[in-house]
Amino acid sequence: MITFLFRNTERWNDTGATKLRLIPIGKILEGKYTNKTVTIRGWVYRKREGKDIIFILMRDATGVIQCTFRKDAEAWEEAEKATIESSATLTGTVKEDKRAPGGYEISGENLSIIGLAETFPIAKDKSEEFLRDVRHLWLRSRKMSLVMRVRDEVLWSVHECFRKKGFVEVSPPMFISSACEGGSTLFGLKYFDQDLFLTQSAQLYLEALIYSLEKVYCVAPSFRAEKSRTIRHLTEYWHVEPEQAFADVDDMMRLEEDLVSYVCRKVAQKCRKELVELGLDPEELARVKPPFPRVTYTEAVERLHKKGLRVKWGEDFGFDEERVLAEMFDKPVFVYGYPKQIKAFYCKTYPEKPDLAMSADLLVPRIGEITTGGSRVDDKDELIKRMKEFGLRPEDYEWYIDLRRYGTVPHAGFGLGVERLLAWMLKLENVMDAIPFPRTIRRFYP
Ligand code: 4AD
Ligand code: MG
């Protein structure tokens, strides 16, 4: 079939007679092929039929371009047949045309349908719910493909930032035998004849790796049996987690603001077109620079009281409190020094304030918390005591306690949710739109 002859883009095919050049649409829209004959390959995005002319918008991974077919063209019949989302190879001459979306148009000469599409189920005005039911098809939409491109840049820049700072990427296990973040959100599973869980966080394993590598990180899925249906909870999400030896909560806050700023700057630079098409201002992201403001938990409670919220000292903040706090600042804001009882068993406390955890959350508007991190308990006896206070059995964590037996050091780390970060950066209404195939309590198809 003709399609297989055009496997590589931007390369002359060697099939003899026709010598066609396969060009990415994005390159054509840059204006480099005006008045030249090109071949493109992609999918029918939109179609409009007149009496003597058919307009077909073709899309590939790099862009969308308008193509016209006149009644006297050889390809007229094939153009008539082409349905929305059919895949096709198309040859024609590029024309500059101010009226065409993107400023260029292809006057179509040849069209060869690769896969004729049945009636595409997605039309205008479909509900969010419906679009999630057909997510495997909705991923082709302009919005989703733009979001996925930005997601890719976010992940690349996360790796770049850590690498520049001398962190080593490591790969933690997904099957685990004891909880990191509390039993209520653990997914259990049968592992042969044992009961195991899916990981909630790589943290405990990263802690083991700092004893040889000192600065490590991973980007991996975490699983939470979240019953809450909110705009910021998934049951499977991607988790960026660094862990560092000889570091504390203040070092982590500095690392976090560097990382988040780095990612924002890179996306503002490299995804300018995507941001603009999504209706966003790249400058807004470019302005996210360190230092981020820091407020103590106690000060945060006072600020919330002044806004009329009735949170009591000692209680954890919910979605509402976090959003109200975040709106008070023009950059992401750290809240630190939480009461130790609302943080995890592994959180170290301030030597001079033993009731307060050396733990910080980073909050952003609309989403609230995007990171939690801080100093870890590094003393064996203290760790065992904390486990018992939290109702955990130290014998389930022997290997983790070993880390305090053999050359313990002060250390710290944090966890950043990729979908929450992206949802904030792109002003998405729900973290579900920041991941290709979202998983929530009710959604696991497709
Ligand atoms: O606050 P969490 O539970 O902290 C931890 O898991 C630590 N062990 C991380 C560490 O120190 N290495 O989760 C960290 C982040 C949250 O701030 C949030 O961004 C994200 O993970 N997150 C979720 N994202 C989407 N859906 C969920 N259900 C999430 N739960 C946590
Ligand atoms: Mg947290």
Side-chain angles (χ1 to χ4, degrees), residues 180-181 200-201 203 224 226 232-234 237 239 241 346 369-372 376 413-417 420:
C180 178
E181 295 302 320
Q200 299 164 303
S201 158
Q203 180 194 319
R224 306 276 171 113
E226 293 283 0
R232 61 178 192 166
H233 284 100
L234 295 164
Y237 71 96
H239 206 168
E241 298 183 270
Y346 52 71
E369 175 194 329
I370 60 166
T371 76
T372 292
R376 322 300 192 188
F414 68 85
L416 164 73
R420 288 193 184 181

Side-chain angles (χ1 to χ4, degrees), residues 170-240:
V170 295
S171 309
M174 301 289 111
F175 290 131
I176 53 150
S177 53
S178 35
C180 178
E181 295 302 320
S184 69
T185 63
L186 264 184
F187 272 115
L189 63 96
K190 260 284 174 265
Y191 186 82
F192 307 104
D193 53 358
Q194 300 264 85
D195 290 315
L196 287 192
F197 310 103
L198 286 175
T199 184
Q200 299 164 303
S201 158
Q203 180 194 319
L204 309 190
Y205 296 91
L206 298 179
E207 286 185 59
L209 282 152
I210 60 160
Y211 290 86
S212 51
L213 300 168
E214 294 192 25
K215 290 154 87 172
V216 298
Y217 79 101
C218 68
V219 181
S222 278
F223 304 90
R224 306 276 171 113
E226 293 283 0
K227 299 222 171 67
S228 41
R229 290 181 57 210
T230 72
I231 62 143
R232 61 178 192 166
H233 284 100
L234 295 164
T235 51
E236 176 183 305
Y237 71 96
W238 284 76
H239 206 168
V240 173

